[in-house]
Amino acid sequence: MNKIYKQIAPALALMGLVLGGCQPDLEKDFKASNGTADFSRYIAVGNSLTAGYSDGGLYLEGQLNSYPNLLAQQFKKVGGGDFAQPLFASGQENGSGYLRLTGFTASGSPITTPVTDKLALRAGATAAKPLYTKYLDPVQNLGVPGIRMSDIETAGYGSTQGNPYFERITPDATPTQTYLQRVAASNPTFFTEWLGNNDVLGFATAGGAASSLTPVADFTDKTNKVIDALTANGAKGLVSTIPDVTGIPFFTTVGPSFKATLTENKVPAIIVHTGGLSTTPGTTIKTITVPTTDIKDATGGKQLFTLTSAPYLPLFGRPNTGKPWRDVYTQAKASLPPTVTLSVFLALQGIDTTKAFGADVKNPIPSTLVLDDAEQKLVATATTAFNSAITAKATAKGLAIFDANGFFSRVATGGFVTNGVNNTASFISGNLFGLDGVHPTPRGYAVLANEMIRVINQQYGASIPSVDPNNYRGVTFP
């Protein structure tokens, strides 16, 4: 064997030299270029994804790994300028607070714990009703967690009565400035715009029981206005579509294990509340019977359970269980008249917590914990309409379009390989989604940045180098 190796080794070495001489040196031959785009003043417009929100909160590490910040670093290699973000300061680096993985139960379920130290809360504010430390230096990342397209013309949205993240970067002298006005004054040479997710996400994560879907005409009108504002001075940019939210871990993690438990215990069906809460005496909530086989898992089914349903589903079938509905009341209380006490609230809904939870029409699983198939159709219809409006306007303006909907759908079904490492849409183990099951990890944001770079390069004939996602973390294990 050694003899044979000695005979062929020189030939292989020579072949390697020959091949090496023919092959281009990719790093040496790659010439970074801005193409026809000007990245000297980059502005990022969007919501929590743009701000760098992750693990249920906005904190410094997430801000530093936001896709706009990663893009700006790569833009600098082709003539881009500095990029200012409203970063949380040292000592307040945990920002709004977030979730940390602290262990697993005996059955393997993850245990998450809120991080509550080093927050950026202003004196007198609380995590339940926050106001954050003001940041009044110029900023180029205008990502505002929670903002909907329908909010961009709301006067006072940046006041103490509005969104605390927008309030944080709104000058005290102009508390009624709208988000659209702020965008119009940003004067970019290049921009990314990714608004609209929350116009469906809030409805979906509430199981169709709260929030609402933005009317298509309103969404279209405001999409046109924000893109017109960004391109008013001739700026080029990239616009993103809205992903299908039903493929994210928030909706795909809990249902399969619940279905397996029900199947093992030979439970044929469960009772679920669907739609909104009742506010009219004599008109109780609507319930549906869901066959166990119709809970979605790898074998089929359509009904989705939210990540937030995990603490409540082990109570299935137990009588005298009122916690799920007490918690629904606590969440709804702020929007209810003071006269609506817990007992009044339960009577309005037609709930009797002495009945078996989830197995009796008088004590169904709350709608806030389930996105049923009828609600999924509403979400899908709105997503399609919103993406049509986004694509039509971006196309008319000759902008790059990141098809986030198509990209996330591909990740949900087949995962995504980054330099030999497989990533999936699985909760915790998949690397791409953080502990809230909705927002990306730093690696997920790096993958998004690369996908945007790819379409920017295509649209503007640029050669912007990509980042290595494997240099960024997934979920941090304890």
Side-chain angles (χ1 to χ4, degrees):
M1 177 67 75
N2 287 340
K3 183 178 179 181
I4 295 174
Y5 174 78
K6 288 176 181 176
Q7 289 175 337
I8 65 174
L12 289 174
L14 180 60
M15 186 181 296
L17 287 172
V18 173
L19 290 174
C22 293
Q23 294 298 310
D25 183 330
L26 295 179
E27 290 190 7
K28 182 179 177 182
D29 293 346
F30 181 85
K31 297 186 182 306
S33 166
N34 63 306
T36 60
D38 176 0
F39 300 103
S40 59
R41 180 169 170 77
Y42 166 46
I43 296 292
V45 170
N47 48 44
S48 54
L49 293 168
T50 299
Y53 198 95
S54 189
D55 299 326
L58 183 64
Y59 57 108
L60 180 60
E61 185 193 10
Q63 291 178 308
L64 293 174
N65 291 302
S66 66
Y67 77 80
N69 200 41
L70 301 184
L71 286 178
Q73 293 171 21
Q74 301 309 103
F75 291 166
K76 267 201 164 187
K77 298 173 182 176
V78 292
D82 292 334
F83 184 68
Q85 296 197 106
L87 300 176
F88 292 114
S90 176
Q92 299 187 338
E93 60 264 34
N94 292 332
S96 66
Y98 60 97
L99 298 173
R100 177 177 290 158
L101 183 64
T102 51
F104 294 89
T105 66
S107 61
S109 297
I111 301 170
T112 58
T113 303
V115 174
T116 58
D117 66 328
K118 300 180 181 178
L119 303 184
L121 291 173
R122 215 176 298 168
T126 65
K129 196 169 184 178
L131 285 175
Y132 300 113
T133 304
K134 279 279 190 176
Y135 190 98
L136 298 178
D137 289 338
V139 296
Q140 290 162 261
N141 186 336
L142 295 175
V144 174
I147 192 170
R148 298 156 54 109
M149 185 68 82
S150 60
D151 295 323
I152 69 170
E153 289 189 289
T154 301
Y157 190 69
S159 72
T160 56
Q161 306 303 311
N163 182 308
Y165 295 101
F166 190 39
E167 193 271 347
R168 177 173 179 254
I169 61 173
T170 298
D172 292 336
T174 57
T176 61
Q177 182 187 47
T178 68
Y179 187 76
L180 181 60
Q181 290 169 333
R182 184 66 179 268
V183 170
S186 63
N187 195 28
T189 61
F190 191 87
F191 65 87
T192 54
E193 189 272 331
W194 197 0
L195 283 167
N197 305 63
N198 290 322
D199 295 76
V200 293
L201 186 63
F203 175 85
T205 55
S211 189
S212 61
L213 297 167
T214 299
V216 175
D218 186 35
F219 187 94
T220 302
D221 174 59
K222 288 171 178 168
T223 295
N224 292 342
K225 286 177 177 174
V226 74
I227 294 178
D228 282 341
L230 285 164
T231 56
N233 295 322
K236 293 181 169 62
L238 173 144
V239 176
S240 294
T241 63
I242 301 169
D244 173 12
V245 298
T246 60
I248 60 179
F250 186 85
F251 291 109
T252 60
T253 301
V254 174
S257 59
F258 184 47
K259 181 177 184 177
T261 300
L262 294 174
T263 302
E264 182 180 351
N265 289 285
K266 303 186 186 317
V267 177
I270 60 176
I271 308 298
V272 171
H273 161 215
T274 184
L277 296 167
S278 174
T279 57
T280 306
T283 305
T284 58
I285 56 174
K286 180 182 178 184
T287 61
I288 56 175
T289 299
V290 174
T292 297
T293 53
D294 200 28
I295 298 173
K296 188 171 184 177
D297 68 357
T299 65
K302 299 186 293 291
Q303 316 306 323
L304 298 172
F305 283 78
T306 66
L307 196 60
T308 50
S309 69
Y312 303 104
L313 297 183
L315 302 175
F316 176 81
R318 298 184 187 179
N320 301 310
T321 299
K323 181 171 173 52
W325 284 98
R326 285 199 305 274
D327 288 353
V328 171
Y329 171 70
T330 300
Q331 294 167 4
K333 188 176 179 180
S335 60
L336 298 173
T339 54
V340 180
T341 62
L342 174 61
S343 59
V344 172
F345 175 77
L346 293 177
L348 275 173
Q349 313 312 316
I351 298 298
D352 180 354
T353 59
T354 66
K355 304 296 184 182
F357 176 63
D360 191 293
V361 292
K362 290 290 186 180
N363 193 11
I365 296 173
S367 178
T368 52
L369 307 180
V370 185
L371 188 69
D372 62 54
D373 56 338
E375 294 159 344
Q376 290 173 46
K377 288 178 182 175
L378 296 175
V379 170
T381 299
T383 300
T384 298
F386 294 169
N387 282 339
S388 294
I390 291 168
T391 302
K393 185 64 177 178
T395 300
K397 290 284 186 178
L399 302 172
I401 301 173
F402 169 44
D403 180 14
N405 190 28
F407 175 72
F408 276 97
S409 295
R410 292 192 295 275
V411 170
T413 55
F416 189 86
V417 176
T418 55
N419 291 338
V421 175
N422 191 40
N423 307 280
T424 71
S426 297
F427 187 51
I428 294 181
S429 62
N431 291 327
L432 298 179
F433 288 92
L435 295 172
D436 56 23
V438 174
H439 296 89
T441 59
R443 181 175 298 179
Y445 278 121
V447 167
L448 288 175
N450 277 353
E451 289 301 301
M452 293 182 182
I453 286 172
R454 181 176 57 79
V455 294
I456 291 170
N457 284 342
Q458 289 175 348
Q459 185 69 19
Y460 300 113
S463 297
I464 305 165
S466 57
V467 301
D468 183 355
N470 295 352
N471 290 336
Y472 298 84
R473 71 166 176 85
V475 169
T476 300
F477 282 72

